[in-house]
Amino acid sequence: MWCDSMGWIEIFLDGISEAFGLILSSDAEILGIAALSLKVSMIATLLGAAFGVPLGFLIASRSFYGRSLTIAVINTFMGIPPVVVGLAVYLLLSSSGPLGFLSILYTPQAMILAQTLLTFPVVCGLTVSSILALDQRLKETLQSLSAPKLWEAFILLRESRIGLITAVIAAFGAAISEVGAIMMVGGNILGYTRALTTAIMLYTNTGEFALAIALGIILLLLSFGVNLALTILQMRYRKKR
Amino acid sequence: MAYVALRSVRKRYSDKEILKGVSIDIQRGELISIVGPSGSGKTTLLRLIDGLDFPDSGEIFIDGIKLTMENAPKLRKKVGMVFQNPVLFDASVYDNVAFSLKFRGLPDDLIRQRVEAALNLVMLNDLAKRSALTLSGGEAQRVALARALVYDPELILLDEPTANLDPANVLIIEGALREANLQEKTVVLVTHNIFQAKRLANRVALLLEGEMVEVQETESFFNRPLDPRTRRFIDGDLVY
């Protein structure tokens, strides 16, 4: 086999040198792919947080019939395979689907929608855990000080901000690293919906390992950059006990 | 008319009856101390007056209004509560006290004035910018007192506010309570420290195993108790 004759170390080293070559030469195609990946995953993470944090807070702070079941369902969806989400969104957006009239299948919007469905349960589930982990006396103290409901929510979310940042980190990780969902609803169209993960898959299938490795390194660096920023924020907020 | 009135209040948690038909009148502007051994129902009594929990039977009146689940949030606005182990927010000392006023929508300049006055009362102005989570137990308790006093409540409920504190902190907290009482505030001080009750209270009540044994003027309570159990409690002969 080609791999055996060339040797995997050579392929790997070749990939690394090509990666830095591409990064340093600011290759327009690669930059476009990286920018799309970052844009889609960041927007999906923000949307997932915008819906997941309030819903997670409500689930954790109210008692209602079936709460444990609801939390179990959300926790299950935290680990949902991206291809299943991709399939569901594909069926929704296909021309015969209920949202077919939007005509957004094979567009970045469809990719954002699919990834939002992945990030939402992650943020929601981890928000529930963070709020449930708070000292229960906090709520009683707020009640005793006559805090209005919105203030109560603000303070409790503020108290669990480290957990909420963890939720955002996990959600972004799930989004930026997944390939199944965006492949199915984005279609991997060059210059339009090709993201880092879908490109890595394509180049691996076509035997362009060096390029695939280069994109893999860029993916890791981007992910590291975002996580570093979030971790610095998290460390700034850590309780000064 | 009593400012706080309890009528035959009963409260049970799972299989244990904590309060067994407690009745007491607390007059406006008095500093009353409720003493009793641990587990006698003192904390439960305070929680019921603050509307954090509700009696199984019996009635509680605050300023003539019957306390219900519906009107508790409104009535509680006139009440300041200091818990035995207060939970402070992960914010500065200043913000911890200011939050009580922000909840009430006061303008920033008024908030600043009142927070400074409240911190001054508990001698914590120097620590205003410190993270509240770095404070000692005594300092934390003083912040909890300041945030309960800052919104000028008519009624102040305190649950063992000086338990396990060093004399310096006890002195500051007792000074702040005397000051609050001088301003005609009604203070209910729960303590198992009879010496503190003797130092501060106008009247003292003994709660024993969920029953109100005796309520008397402080001097009479300690020198001429009516119930033999009170005498034994004062003398330290009551084993609990």
Side-chain angles (χ1 to χ4, degrees), chain A residues 59 62-71:
Chain A
I59 292 169
R62 303 278 157 90
S63 54
F64 56 90
Y65 185 74
R67 187 166 80 145
S68 298
L69 185 71
T70 308
I71 296 172

Side-chain angles (χ1 to χ4, degrees), chain B residues 61-224:
Chain B
F61 296 88
I62 310 277
D63 205 6
I65 301 165
K66 187 181 166 186
L67 180 65
T68 63
M69 218 173 275
E70 288 71 36
N71 68 14
K74 193 171 169 229
L75 288 178
R76 201 186 286 127
K77 288 190 173 159
K78 298 193 279 186
V79 183
M81 169 103 166
V82 179
F83 296 91
Q84 184 173 0
N85 296 307
V87 186
L88 298 184
F89 306 121
D90 184 4
S92 68
V93 167
Y94 180 93
D95 282 340
N96 263 274
V97 180
F99 278 137
S100 302
L101 298 174
K102 287 181 180 170
F103 297 159
R104 288 161 170 78
L106 266 67
D108 283 349
D109 50 342
L110 190 57
I111 289 180
R112 199 173 318 115
Q113 279 175 27
R114 288 174 71 168
V115 171
E116 279 169 12
L119 288 177
N120 213 20
L121 188 67
V122 294
M123 297 183 185
L124 277 178
N125 261 332
D126 291 349
L127 300 182
K129 288 182 182 163
R130 270 263 293 274
S131 161
L133 301 185
T134 62
L135 300 178
S136 70
E139 290 163 343
Q141 192 60 277
R142 281 151 61 194
V143 174
L145 181 59
R147 78 177 170 193
L149 292 176
V150 74
Y151 52 90
D152 203 23
E154 291 179 9
L155 171 66
I156 301 158
L157 309 171
L158 303 115
D159 189 4
E160 306 274 11
T162 59
N164 308 319
L165 297 192
D166 59 88
N169 278 304
V170 173
L171 214 61
I172 293 170
I173 288 174
E174 289 189 356
L177 291 182
R178 275 199 195 93
E179 180 63 32
N181 190 227
L182 282 176
Q183 292 170 12
E184 310 266 299
K185 298 193 184 308
T186 309
V187 182
V188 182
L189 170 69
V190 154
T191 180
H192 63 254
N193 181 343
I194 54 169
F195 302 107
Q196 185 170 58
K198 208 171 187 174
R199 281 197 297 271
L200 294 176
N202 311 123
R203 284 198 304 156
V204 182
L206 173 64
L207 191 67
L208 211 59
E209 293 177 336
E211 281 179 57
M212 195 57 84
V213 172
E214 180 167 351
V215 189
Q216 282 237 61
E217 300 287 324
T218 306
E219 196 267 336
S220 309
F221 182 91
F222 286 102
N223 297 324
R224 292 176 298 282

Side-chain angles (χ1 to χ4, degrees), chain A residues 185-203:
Chain A
V185 302
N188 201 21
I189 303 162
L190 182 61
Y192 188 47
T193 58
R194 183 165 297 172
L196 285 167
T197 51
T198 54
I200 291 170
M201 209 165 127
L202 177 75
Y203 295 140

Side-chain angles (χ1 to χ4, degrees), chain A residues 71-231:
Chain A
I71 296 172
V73 169
I74 291 166
N75 287 342
T76 306
F77 274 87
M78 281 172 74
I80 193 169
V83 282
V84 175
V85 172
L87 174 64
V89 175
Y90 179 88
L91 292 173
L92 277 175
L93 297 179
S94 64
S95 55
S96 56
L99 297 178
F101 66 91
L102 293 173
S103 304
I104 57 166
L105 192 61
Y106 303 130
T107 65
Q109 287 93 316
M111 296 160 76
I112 291 170
L113 175 64
Q115 288 202 342
T116 301
L117 293 178
L118 285 169
T119 57
F120 165 72
V122 173
V123 177
C124 188
L126 293 178
T127 301
V128 170
S129 309
S130 299
I131 300 289
L132 289 179
L134 286 176
D135 189 329
Q136 290 307 299
R137 292 173 304 163
L138 266 172
K139 203 175 170 189
E140 198 158 70
T141 301
L142 286 163
Q143 205 183 340
S144 178
L145 293 171
S146 298
K149 286 287 170 206
L150 271 178
W151 267 106
E152 184 182 307
F154 169 73
I155 301 255
L156 293 177
L157 287 170
R158 195 175 174 280
E159 290 289 317
S160 51
R161 56 194 184 271
I162 292 178
L164 298 185
I165 295 172
T166 306
V168 171
I169 290 174
F172 179 75
I176 194 88
S177 62
E178 74 87 18
V179 58
I182 53 169
M183 181 67 118
M184 288 176 88
V185 302
N188 201 21
I189 303 162
L190 182 61
Y192 188 47
T193 58
R194 183 165 297 172
L196 285 167
T197 51
T198 54
I200 291 170
M201 209 165 127
L202 177 75
Y203 295 140
T204 306
N205 286 340
T206 54
E208 294 170 84
F209 295 114
L211 199 51
I213 291 171
L215 292 175
I217 290 170
I218 293 169
L219 178 62
L220 278 174
L221 286 175
L222 282 181
S223 185
F224 176 71
V226 172
N227 278 307
L228 183 68
L230 289 169
T231 307

Side-chain angles (χ1 to χ4, degrees), chain A residues 15-81:
Chain A
I16 289 175
S17 87
E18 193 167 337
F20 286 106
L22 285 167
I23 295 164
L24 293 173
S25 68
S26 306
D27 182 278
E29 186 183 321
I30 302 295
L31 283 181
I33 291 174
L36 180 76
S37 269
L38 204 57
K39 188 177 102 182
V40 166
S41 296
M42 278 183 139
I43 294 175
T45 305
L46 288 176
L47 286 174
F51 293 105
V53 170
L55 189 72
F57 176 79
L58 284 176
I59 292 169
S61 56
R62 303 278 157 90
S63 54
F64 56 90
Y65 185 74
R67 187 166 80 145
S68 298
L69 185 71
T70 308
I71 296 172
V73 169
I74 291 166
N75 287 342
T76 306
F77 274 87
M78 281 172 74
I80 193 169

